[in-house]
Amino acid sequence: MPTVSALYRYPVKGFTPERRDHLVIQDDGRVQGDRALVFRFADAIEPEDATFPKSRGLALMTFPTLARIDLAYDDERQTLRLRVDDIDVEADLSPAGRARLADAVTAYLRTTSDAKLLAPDGILPLGLLGDGRTARFQDRPRGFVSLHGAASVEALDATVPAPVDDRRFRSNIVVGGTAAWTELEWRGRVRIGEVEFEVQKPIERCAAITANPDTGVRDARLLRVLTTEFTQDEPTLGILLLPVAGGGTIREGDEVVVAA
């Protein structure tokens, strides 16, 4: 029986994940506290809707060295801690705290190979948007929960010399106990613990998956590998889900039941 082997949320869009023992799925399909903050570029206006394109702020797709920043968000205190190299900053979401966090990220990026990306007009100063609670900075207008099978990542890892693990794919749910690529064949409904989902579509991947989550270096041409070694029309790994009738809580170890 397939089960949930890992759960992740991403408090800050484009930054490292937090491993969780449970996730709260909201009625709109978003994960509570997921992509609740974003570092925007200076010329990016705050969105009126619940989306935020990667082109308007820091994202792993463009700034791979973001992967090296260790991030921890405290929901109760509403504080964000960023640690990398000799930088260790924790601050709240007050205007002064947001400025400290933005300055810390900027200082780090200036030391990396991504520093040149800060130079164009309209990039600096960075600003930190979001209330730290509301999931609102996803790439797509609809809220989606993302899922992939652990075996699919293992199959991909076996084809390249660089280490490839679940973190590269930034999914909310990782499922164990399935054959590689099985999740791409799922149709209709999937029950995970107490929540029933409708399968929406496969996830076409971007350059974010080429960045090593420990070093921030693009060390694996995974987009090309997916289309050549695995003969995919588009580089695809994982699927998007939406709850059928309201949200609920899913937990590590929950059974995953695919409708026949």
Short mmCIF file of all heavy atoms in Angstrom, two decimals, residues 200-255:
data_model
loop_
_atom_site.label_atom_id
_atom_site.label_comp_id
_atom_site.label_asym_id
_atom_site.label_seq_id
_atom_site.Cartn_x
_atom_site.Cartn_y
_atom_site.Cartn_z
N GLN A 200 -5.21 16.67 -11.01
CA GLN A 200 -5.37 17.75 -11.99
C GLN A 200 -4.51 17.54 -13.23
O GLN A 200 -5.01 17.43 -14.33
CB GLN A 200 -5.03 19.10 -11.33
CG GLN A 200 -5.94 19.44 -10.16
CD GLN A 200 -7.40 19.55 -10.55
OE1 GLN A 200 -7.76 20.37 -11.40
NE2 GLN A 200 -8.24 18.73 -9.95
N LYS A 201 -3.20 17.49 -13.06
CA LYS A 201 -2.32 17.34 -14.21
C LYS A 201 -0.90 17.07 -13.74
O LYS A 201 -0.56 17.34 -12.58
CB LYS A 201 -2.34 18.60 -15.08
CG LYS A 201 -1.93 19.87 -14.36
CD LYS A 201 -2.05 21.08 -15.28
CE LYS A 201 -1.71 22.37 -14.54
NZ LYS A 201 -1.81 23.55 -15.43
N PRO A 202 -0.04 16.55 -14.63
CA PRO A 202 1.38 16.38 -14.29
C PRO A 202 2.06 17.73 -14.13
O PRO A 202 1.57 18.76 -14.63
CB PRO A 202 1.94 15.60 -15.48
CG PRO A 202 0.76 15.02 -16.17
CD PRO A 202 -0.36 15.99 -15.95
N ILE A 203 3.21 17.73 -13.46
CA ILE A 203 3.97 18.95 -13.25
C ILE A 203 5.12 19.02 -14.24
O ILE A 203 6.03 18.18 -14.21
CB ILE A 203 4.53 19.01 -11.82
CG1 ILE A 203 3.41 18.91 -10.79
CG2 ILE A 203 5.33 20.31 -11.63
CD1 ILE A 203 3.92 18.79 -9.36
N GLU A 204 5.05 20.00 -15.12
CA GLU A 204 6.17 20.24 -16.03
C GLU A 204 7.24 21.04 -15.28
O GLU A 204 6.95 22.07 -14.68
CB GLU A 204 5.71 21.01 -17.26
CG GLU A 204 6.79 21.20 -18.30
CD GLU A 204 6.28 21.91 -19.55
OE1 GLU A 204 5.07 21.84 -19.83
OE2 GLU A 204 7.10 22.55 -20.22
N ARG A 205 8.48 20.56 -15.33
CA ARG A 205 9.52 21.09 -14.48
C ARG A 205 10.30 22.22 -15.14
O ARG A 205 10.38 22.33 -16.37
CB ARG A 205 10.47 19.97 -14.09
CG ARG A 205 9.80 18.94 -13.18
CD ARG A 205 9.37 19.56 -11.88
NE ARG A 205 8.62 18.65 -11.02
CZ ARG A 205 8.30 18.93 -9.77
NH1 ARG A 205 8.65 20.09 -9.23
NH2 ARG A 205 7.61 18.07 -9.04
N CYS A 206 10.91 23.08 -14.28
CA CYS A 206 11.72 24.20 -14.74
C CYS A 206 13.15 24.00 -14.26
O CYS A 206 13.50 22.99 -13.63
CB CYS A 206 11.16 25.51 -14.21
SG CYS A 206 11.35 25.72 -12.42
N ALA A 207 13.99 25.00 -14.49
CA ALA A 207 15.42 24.89 -14.19
C ALA A 207 15.71 24.79 -12.70
O ALA A 207 16.85 24.47 -12.33
CB ALA A 207 16.15 26.09 -14.78
N ALA A 208 14.74 25.02 -11.84
CA ALA A 208 14.99 24.92 -10.40
C ALA A 208 15.52 23.55 -10.02
O ALA A 208 16.32 23.42 -9.09
CB ALA A 208 13.71 25.23 -9.62
N ILE A 209 15.09 22.50 -10.73
CA ILE A 209 15.51 21.15 -10.35
C ILE A 209 16.96 20.85 -10.69
O ILE A 209 17.51 19.84 -10.24
CB ILE A 209 14.59 20.08 -10.98
CG1 ILE A 209 14.77 20.01 -12.50
CG2 ILE A 209 13.14 20.33 -10.61
CD1 ILE A 209 14.02 18.85 -13.15
N THR A 210 17.59 21.71 -11.45
CA THR A 210 19.00 21.49 -11.79
C THR A 210 19.95 21.95 -10.69
O THR A 210 21.14 21.66 -10.74
CB THR A 210 19.37 22.21 -13.10
OG1 THR A 210 19.30 23.63 -12.90
CG2 THR A 210 18.43 21.81 -14.23
N ALA A 211 19.43 22.68 -9.70
CA ALA A 211 20.28 23.22 -8.62
C ALA A 211 20.40 22.22 -7.48
O ALA A 211 19.40 21.73 -6.95
CB ALA A 211 19.69 24.53 -8.10
N ASN A 212 21.62 21.92 -7.10
CA ASN A 212 21.88 21.06 -5.96
C ASN A 212 21.36 21.74 -4.69
O ASN A 212 21.73 22.88 -4.40
CB ASN A 212 23.39 20.81 -5.84
CG ASN A 212 23.74 19.82 -4.75
OD1 ASN A 212 23.38 20.00 -3.60
ND2 ASN A 212 24.48 18.79 -5.13
N PRO A 213 20.48 21.09 -3.91
CA PRO A 213 19.89 21.74 -2.75
C PRO A 213 20.85 21.99 -1.60
O PRO A 213 20.51 22.73 -0.67
CB PRO A 213 18.78 20.76 -2.33
CG PRO A 213 19.19 19.45 -2.87
CD PRO A 213 19.93 19.74 -4.14
N ASP A 214 22.04 21.41 -1.65
CA ASP A 214 23.05 21.66 -0.61
C ASP A 214 24.07 22.71 -1.02
O ASP A 214 24.51 23.52 -0.21
CB ASP A 214 23.77 20.36 -0.25
CG ASP A 214 22.85 19.36 0.42
OD1 ASP A 214 22.09 19.76 1.32
OD2 ASP A 214 22.87 18.18 0.02
N THR A 215 24.47 22.68 -2.29
CA THR A 215 25.54 23.57 -2.74
C THR A 215 25.04 24.79 -3.52
O THR A 215 25.78 25.77 -3.67
CB THR A 215 26.52 22.81 -3.65
OG1 THR A 215 25.84 22.44 -4.86
CG2 THR A 215 27.04 21.56 -2.95
N GLY A 216 23.82 24.73 -4.06
CA GLY A 216 23.32 25.82 -4.89
C GLY A 216 23.93 25.86 -6.27
O GLY A 216 23.73 26.82 -7.02
N VAL A 217 24.65 24.82 -6.66
CA VAL A 217 25.29 24.74 -7.98
C VAL A 217 24.41 23.93 -8.92
O VAL A 217 23.86 22.89 -8.55
CB VAL A 217 26.68 24.08 -7.85
CG1 VAL A 217 27.31 23.87 -9.23
CG2 VAL A 217 27.59 24.93 -6.98
N ARG A 218 24.30 24.41 -10.16
CA ARG A 218 23.57 23.63 -11.18
C ARG A 218 24.47 22.47 -11.61
O ARG A 218 25.40 22.67 -12.40
CB ARG A 218 23.21 24.51 -12.37
CG ARG A 218 22.26 25.65 -12.04
CD ARG A 218 21.70 26.25 -13.32
NE ARG A 218 21.05 27.52 -13.10
CZ ARG A 218 19.79 27.67 -12.70
NH1 ARG A 218 19.07 26.60 -12.43
NH2 ARG A 218 19.26 28.87 -12.55
N ASP A 219 24.19 21.30 -11.10
CA ASP A 219 25.10 20.18 -11.31
C ASP A 219 24.48 18.99 -12.03
O ASP A 219 25.12 17.94 -12.16
CB ASP A 219 25.67 19.71 -9.97
CG ASP A 219 24.59 19.20 -9.02
OD1 ASP A 219 23.40 19.29 -9.36
OD2 ASP A 219 24.95 18.72 -7.92
N ALA A 220 23.25 19.13 -12.51
CA ALA A 220 22.61 18.00 -13.20
C ALA A 220 21.65 18.54 -14.25
O ALA A 220 20.77 19.34 -13.94
CB ALA A 220 21.85 17.12 -12.20
N ARG A 221 21.80 18.09 -15.49
CA ARG A 221 20.95 18.56 -16.58
C ARG A 221 19.67 17.72 -16.62
O ARG A 221 19.39 16.99 -17.56
CB ARG A 221 21.72 18.48 -17.89
CG ARG A 221 23.04 19.26 -17.84
CD ARG A 221 23.83 19.16 -19.11
NE ARG A 221 23.26 19.95 -20.19
CZ ARG A 221 23.82 20.10 -21.39
NH1 ARG A 221 24.96 19.50 -21.66
NH2 ARG A 221 23.24 20.83 -22.31
N LEU A 222 18.90 17.84 -15.56
CA LEU A 222 17.76 16.94 -15.37
C LEU A 222 16.64 17.18 -16.37
O LEU A 222 15.89 16.24 -16.70
CB LEU A 222 17.23 17.07 -13.95
CG LEU A 222 18.22 16.65 -12.84
CD1 LEU A 222 17.57 16.80 -11.47
CD2 LEU A 222 18.68 15.22 -13.05
N LEU A 223 16.48 18.39 -16.85
CA LEU A 223 15.43 18.64 -17.84
C LEU A 223 15.69 17.82 -19.10
O LEU A 223 14.78 17.18 -19.65
CB LEU A 223 15.34 20.13 -18.16
CG LEU A 223 15.02 21.05 -16.98
CD1 LEU A 223 15.07 22.51 -17.42
CD2 LEU A 223 13.66 20.72 -16.40
N ARG A 224 16.93 17.83 -19.54
CA ARG A 224 17.30 17.05 -20.73
C ARG A 224 17.22 15.55 -20.45
O ARG A 224 16.78 14.78 -21.30
CB ARG A 224 18.69 17.43 -21.20
CG ARG A 224 19.17 16.60 -22.38
CD ARG A 224 20.48 17.11 -22.94
NE ARG A 224 20.32 18.43 -23.55
CZ ARG A 224 21.29 19.09 -24.17
NH1 ARG A 224 22.50 18.55 -24.27
NH2 ARG A 224 21.07 20.28 -24.70
N VAL A 225 17.63 15.15 -19.25
CA VAL A 225 17.57 13.72 -18.91
C VAL A 225 16.13 13.21 -18.96
O VAL A 225 15.86 12.11 -19.45
CB VAL A 225 18.19 13.48 -17.52
CG1 VAL A 225 17.94 12.05 -17.06
CG2 VAL A 225 19.69 13.76 -17.55
N LEU A 226 15.19 13.99 -18.45
CA LEU A 226 13.79 13.56 -18.45
C LEU A 226 13.25 13.37 -19.86
O LEU A 226 12.47 12.44 -20.12
CB LEU A 226 12.93 14.57 -17.69
CG LEU A 226 13.07 14.55 -16.16
CD1 LEU A 226 12.42 15.78 -15.55
CD2 LEU A 226 12.45 13.29 -15.58
N THR A 227 13.68 14.23 -20.78
CA THR A 227 13.15 14.12 -22.15
C THR A 227 13.92 13.14 -23.02
O THR A 227 13.38 12.64 -24.02
CB THR A 227 13.15 15.50 -22.84
OG1 THR A 227 14.47 16.05 -22.81
CG2 THR A 227 12.18 16.45 -22.13
N THR A 228 15.16 12.82 -22.64
CA THR A 228 15.95 11.89 -23.46
C THR A 228 15.97 10.49 -22.85
O THR A 228 15.49 9.53 -23.45
CB THR A 228 17.39 12.40 -23.64
OG1 THR A 228 17.98 12.63 -22.35
CG2 THR A 228 17.40 13.68 -24.44
N GLU A 229 16.48 10.37 -21.63
CA GLU A 229 16.57 9.06 -20.99
C GLU A 229 15.20 8.45 -20.71
O GLU A 229 15.03 7.23 -20.77
CB GLU A 229 17.36 9.17 -19.68
CG GLU A 229 18.80 9.61 -19.84
CD GLU A 229 19.63 8.60 -20.62
OE1 GLU A 229 19.39 7.39 -20.47
OE2 GLU A 229 20.51 9.04 -21.39
N PHE A 230 14.23 9.32 -20.41
CA PHE A 230 12.90 8.81 -20.07
C PHE A 230 11.86 9.13 -21.15
O PHE A 230 10.67 8.94 -20.96
CB PHE A 230 12.46 9.36 -18.71
CG PHE A 230 13.33 8.89 -17.59
CD1 PHE A 230 14.37 9.67 -17.11
CD2 PHE A 230 13.15 7.63 -17.03
CE1 PHE A 230 15.19 9.23 -16.08
CE2 PHE A 230 13.97 7.18 -16.01
CZ PHE A 230 14.99 7.97 -15.53
N THR A 231 12.33 9.64 -22.29
CA THR A 231 11.51 9.87 -23.50
C THR A 231 10.22 10.63 -23.21
O THR A 231 9.17 10.33 -23.78
CB THR A 231 11.20 8.54 -24.21
OG1 THR A 231 10.39 7.72 -23.37
CG2 THR A 231 12.49 7.80 -24.57
N GLN A 232 10.28 11.62 -22.35
CA GLN A 232 9.11 12.45 -22.10
C GLN A 232 9.03 13.57 -23.14
O GLN A 232 10.05 14.11 -23.57
CB GLN A 232 9.17 13.06 -20.70
CG GLN A 232 9.13 12.04 -19.57
CD GLN A 232 9.19 12.71 -18.21
OE1 GLN A 232 9.42 13.92 -18.09
NE2 GLN A 232 9.00 11.93 -17.16
N ASP A 233 7.82 13.94 -23.51
CA ASP A 233 7.65 15.06 -24.43
C ASP A 233 8.07 16.37 -23.78
O ASP A 233 8.68 17.23 -24.42
CB ASP A 233 6.19 15.15 -24.88
CG ASP A 233 5.78 13.97 -25.75
OD1 ASP A 233 6.66 13.39 -26.42
OD2 ASP A 233 4.58 13.62 -25.74
N GLU A 234 7.73 16.53 -22.51
CA GLU A 234 8.15 17.68 -21.71
C GLU A 234 8.71 17.14 -20.40
O GLU A 234 8.26 16.10 -19.91
CB GLU A 234 6.97 18.62 -21.43
CG GLU A 234 6.29 19.18 -22.66
CD GLU A 234 7.19 20.11 -23.45
OE1 GLU A 234 8.17 20.63 -22.88
OE2 GLU A 234 6.91 20.34 -24.65
N PRO A 235 9.70 17.83 -19.81
CA PRO A 235 10.28 17.33 -18.56
C PRO A 235 9.26 17.35 -17.43
O PRO A 235 8.83 18.42 -16.98
CB PRO A 235 11.45 18.29 -18.30
CG PRO A 235 11.10 19.53 -19.05
CD PRO A 235 10.33 19.09 -20.25
N THR A 236 8.87 16.19 -16.97
CA THR A 236 7.74 16.06 -16.06
C THR A 236 8.10 15.16 -14.89
O THR A 236 8.68 14.09 -15.08
CB THR A 236 6.52 15.46 -16.80
OG1 THR A 236 6.20 16.31 -17.92
CG2 THR A 236 5.32 15.35 -15.90
N LEU A 237 7.73 15.60 -13.69
CA LEU A 237 7.87 14.75 -12.52
C LEU A 237 6.87 15.22 -11.47
O LEU A 237 6.90 16.38 -11.06
CB LEU A 237 9.28 14.78 -11.96
CG LEU A 237 9.58 13.70 -10.90
CD1 LEU A 237 11.01 13.17 -11.01
CD2 LEU A 237 9.33 14.22 -9.48
N GLY A 238 5.96 14.33 -11.08
CA GLY A 238 4.96 14.67 -10.07
C GLY A 238 3.65 15.13 -10.67
O GLY A 238 3.51 15.31 -11.89
N ILE A 239 2.66 15.32 -9.79
CA ILE A 239 1.31 15.73 -10.21
C ILE A 239 0.77 16.80 -9.28
O ILE A 239 1.24 16.97 -8.15
CB ILE A 239 0.34 14.52 -10.23
CG1 ILE A 239 0.29 13.84 -8.86
CG2 ILE A 239 0.73 13.53 -11.32
CD1 ILE A 239 -0.72 12.70 -8.76
N LEU A 240 -0.25 17.51 -9.77
CA LEU A 240 -0.95 18.52 -8.99
C LEU A 240 -2.31 17.97 -8.56
O LEU A 240 -3.01 17.30 -9.34
CB LEU A 240 -1.14 19.79 -9.79
CG LEU A 240 0.13 20.53 -10.20
CD1 LEU A 240 -0.19 21.69 -11.12
CD2 LEU A 240 0.89 21.03 -8.97
N LEU A 241 -2.71 18.30 -7.33
CA LEU A 241 -3.96 17.82 -6.76
C LEU A 241 -4.79 18.99 -6.23
O LEU A 241 -4.24 20.01 -5.83
CB LEU A 241 -3.70 16.87 -5.59
CG LEU A 241 -2.76 15.68 -5.81
CD1 LEU A 241 -2.49 15.00 -4.47
CD2 LEU A 241 -3.36 14.70 -6.80
N LEU A 242 -6.12 18.80 -6.20
CA LEU A 242 -7.03 19.72 -5.53
C LEU A 242 -7.99 18.91 -4.67
O LEU A 242 -8.47 17.85 -5.09
CB LEU A 242 -7.83 20.55 -6.53
CG LEU A 242 -7.15 21.73 -7.20
CD1 LEU A 242 -8.08 22.36 -8.23
CD2 LEU A 242 -6.70 22.77 -6.18
N PRO A 243 -8.32 19.40 -3.45
CA PRO A 243 -9.29 18.67 -2.62
C PRO A 243 -10.67 18.68 -3.26
O PRO A 243 -11.07 19.66 -3.89
CB PRO A 243 -9.26 19.43 -1.29
CG PRO A 243 -8.77 20.80 -1.64
CD PRO A 243 -7.83 20.62 -2.79
N VAL A 244 -11.40 17.61 -3.05
CA VAL A 244 -12.71 17.46 -3.68
C VAL A 244 -13.78 18.20 -2.91
O VAL A 244 -14.59 18.93 -3.48
CB VAL A 244 -13.07 15.96 -3.81
CG1 VAL A 244 -14.50 15.79 -4.31
CG2 VAL A 244 -12.10 15.26 -4.75
N ALA A 245 -13.83 18.00 -1.60
CA ALA A 245 -14.93 18.57 -0.81
C ALA A 245 -14.38 19.11 0.50
O ALA A 245 -14.64 18.57 1.58
CB ALA A 245 -16.00 17.51 -0.55
N GLY A 246 -13.63 20.18 0.42
CA GLY A 246 -13.05 20.75 1.62
C GLY A 246 -11.69 20.15 1.92
O GLY A 246 -11.31 19.11 1.39
N GLY A 247 -10.98 20.80 2.80
CA GLY A 247 -9.63 20.37 3.13
C GLY A 247 -9.60 19.42 4.30
O GLY A 247 -10.53 18.67 4.56
N GLY A 248 -8.49 19.47 5.03
CA GLY A 248 -8.28 18.59 6.17
C GLY A 248 -6.80 18.45 6.44
O GLY A 248 -5.98 19.18 5.86
N THR A 249 -6.45 17.51 7.28
CA THR A 249 -5.06 17.31 7.67
C THR A 249 -4.54 15.99 7.12
O THR A 249 -5.22 14.97 7.20
CB THR A 249 -4.92 17.31 9.20
OG1 THR A 249 -5.40 18.56 9.72
CG2 THR A 249 -3.47 17.13 9.62
N ILE A 250 -3.37 16.04 6.52
CA ILE A 250 -2.70 14.82 6.08
C ILE A 250 -1.41 14.67 6.88
O ILE A 250 -0.81 15.68 7.28
CB ILE A 250 -2.41 14.82 4.56
CG1 ILE A 250 -1.54 16.00 4.16
CG2 ILE A 250 -3.71 14.84 3.78
CD1 ILE A 250 -1.16 16.00 2.68
N ARG A 251 -1.03 13.41 7.13
CA ARG A 251 0.09 13.15 8.02
C ARG A 251 1.08 12.18 7.39
O ARG A 251 0.68 11.35 6.56
CB ARG A 251 -0.42 12.58 9.35
CG ARG A 251 -1.28 13.56 10.13
CD ARG A 251 -1.88 12.93 11.38
NE ARG A 251 -2.56 13.94 12.19
CZ ARG A 251 -3.80 14.37 11.96
NH1 ARG A 251 -4.49 13.87 10.93
NH2 ARG A 251 -4.34 15.30 12.73
N GLU A 252 2.32 12.29 7.80
CA GLU A 252 3.32 11.32 7.38
C GLU A 252 2.87 9.93 7.81
O GLU A 252 2.42 9.74 8.95
CB GLU A 252 4.68 11.67 7.99
CG GLU A 252 5.84 10.91 7.41
CD GLU A 252 7.18 11.45 7.84
OE1 GLU A 252 7.33 12.69 7.94
OE2 GLU A 252 8.08 10.63 8.07
N GLY A 253 2.96 8.98 6.91
CA GLY A 253 2.50 7.63 7.19
C GLY A 253 1.08 7.35 6.74
O GLY A 253 0.66 6.18 6.74
N ASP A 254 0.31 8.37 6.36
CA ASP A 254 -1.05 8.15 5.86
C ASP A 254 -1.03 7.26 4.64
O ASP A 254 -0.14 7.34 3.79
CB ASP A 254 -1.71 9.48 5.48
CG ASP A 254 -2.32 10.22 6.67
OD1 ASP A 254 -2.42 9.61 7.74
OD2 ASP A 254 -2.68 11.40 6.49
N GLU A 255 -2.08 6.42 4.51
CA GLU A 255 -2.22 5.61 3.32
C GLU A 255 -2.67 6.46 2.14
O GLU A 255 -3.40 7.45 2.32
CB GLU A 255 -3.25 4.49 3.56
CG GLU A 255 -2.78 3.43 4.53
CD GLU A 255 -3.75 2.28 4.64
OE1 GLU A 255 -4.87 2.38 4.08
OE2 GLU A 255 -3.39 1.26 5.26
#
